[in-house]
Amino acid sequence: MTQIGLQLYTVRDHLERDFEGTLRKVAELGYKGVEFAGFYGRTIEQVQQILQETGLTAIGSHTSYNRLKEALAEELAFNKAIGSRYIVVPYLAEEDRNRWPEIIEDLKGFGQRCKEEGLVLCYHNHDFELTLQLNGKPVLDVIYDEVPASLLQVELDSCWVAFAGADPLEYIATYQGRLPLVHWKDLVKKADGSPETVELGHGEIAITEIGDAAIAAGVKWLIVEQDHCAGNSLESIEESMVWVRAYANKGGKIDV
């Protein structure tokens, strides 16, 4: 059954002040797993201890492209030790977006090393991979065409797909079987057309349909994320969990 996780970037302000206490709160709210975006100076042993205490699963870790270039072995060792399965490339800086052939070759290399260590490399999209074209296709599709599924799996940020003007449901169908992780998030467009991420159920994204499609496609984790929270980020993830529980009560086949 699909499980519900949290991308910890959402509560980064609280993690800075109280890493362990924040993870305890995340578990208390009902999230089953966490996707890390940094470890805030904690050692492997410290992370292992708080995961064991809370019962949270280490889903994976967002690890920057440059960090993987510089210290892949270290990142693999840390993630293996804490039981994390997925190493996720979360974002590419603007200066990197004009050298896709090199990026693609690097992804192949990262993916091979992950595979050798029993881990899985994923790529997490924003909107630019859908709006930028390469060889007449969205860059996101070119990446997945060029890097074999055995070396690179999909973490689909359904919200950014929708914001880019593409159809998240089509992308879920296209990459079914290669899609272990989906970011489940909501947003509104501000008056100037820019996005503002909001709690689940407070925005314009078809999150019910996305959840249904992801579950039907066998996605392992639906991961709640809010890039920016207008108020207290712990209150935001609590509000999102209220929506998730309501979704489950209406028949959504998720583990909450």
Side-chain angles (χ1 to χ4, degrees):
M1 182 174 284
T2 302
Q3 298 189 85
I4 301 300
L6 178 71
Q7 167 47 255
L8 289 173
Y9 182 76
T10 309
V11 292
R12 57 196 178 277
D13 52 337
H14 287 278
L15 290 166
E16 288 278 4
R17 297 192 293 269
D18 184 2
F19 182 84
E20 289 78 11
T22 301
L23 288 178
R24 291 185 187 105
K25 180 64 175 177
V26 169
E28 178 187 316
L29 290 174
Y31 292 92
K32 302 296 185 183
V34 288
E35 187 176 50
F36 289 94
F39 297 101
Y40 297 84
R42 268 46 177 198
T43 64
I44 286 172
E45 293 75 20
Q46 288 171 319
V47 176
Q48 287 173 329
Q49 183 175 352
I50 191 62
L51 290 173
Q52 183 175 12
E53 176 193 326
T54 58
L56 289 167
T57 296
I59 301 168
S61 179
H62 275 201
T63 310
S64 74
Y65 168 75
N66 287 334
R67 175 67 179 167
L68 293 176
K69 290 269 285 185
E70 296 163 2
L72 179 57
E74 185 179 336
E75 292 297 325
L76 290 174
F78 200 111
N79 278 273
K80 281 182 69 175
I82 66 169
S84 170
R85 176 163 174 73
Y86 300 99
I87 301 285
V88 184
V89 179
Y91 183 74
L92 288 174
E94 196 163 348
E95 59 266 24
D96 292 324
R97 300 176 198 170
N98 61 353
R99 50 189 191 89
W100 292 109
E102 181 183 344
I103 299 288
I104 286 168
E105 288 307 307
D106 283 338
L107 291 174
K108 291 177 183 177
F110 300 157
Q112 181 61 40
R113 288 288 306 282
C114 287
K115 184 177 179 181
E116 290 167 359
E117 296 294 334
L119 300 176
V120 177
L121 183 71
C122 294
Y123 185 89
H124 166 271
N125 64 280
H126 286 75
D127 57 330
F128 65 85
E129 293 94 344
L130 282 301
T131 57
L132 292 176
Q133 298 275 312
L134 185 65
N135 303 329
K137 299 176 69 172
V139 164
L140 191 64
D141 294 306
V142 175
I143 289 172
Y144 294 130
D145 286 348
E146 295 290 329
V147 186
S150 62
L151 301 182
L152 184 67
Q153 296 280 292
V154 180
E155 178 175 74
L156 191 74
D157 192 308
S158 57
C159 182
W160 286 121
V161 170
F163 181 74
D167 186 345
L169 304 185
E170 289 185 6
Y171 267 86
I172 289 169
T174 296
Y175 292 108
Q176 181 172 347
R178 192 180 180 175
L179 180 65
L181 311 173
V182 167
H183 272 203
W184 209 15
K185 59 202 282 190
D186 212 344
L187 66 69
V188 295
K189 285 186 181 179
K190 297 190 284 189
D192 63 0
S194 63
E196 179 178 1
T197 54
V198 295
E199 296 78 12
L200 291 178
H202 290 238
E204 305 165 1
I205 304 298
I207 53 176
T208 296
E209 291 81 359
I210 288 168
D212 291 347
I215 292 164
V219 167
K220 298 185 187 310
W221 289 93
L222 278 164
I223 301 171
V224 174
E225 182 187 31
Q226 195 170 333
D227 295 6
H228 299 283
C229 302
N232 185 308
S233 59
L234 286 176
E235 293 177 1
S236 290
I237 66 168
E238 183 173 10
E239 181 66 21
S240 287
M241 182 53 78
V242 168
W243 186 90
V244 170
R245 291 189 187 282
Y247 171 83
N249 289 336
K250 292 176 183 174
K253 295 179 181 179
I254 51 176
D255 181 15
V256 291

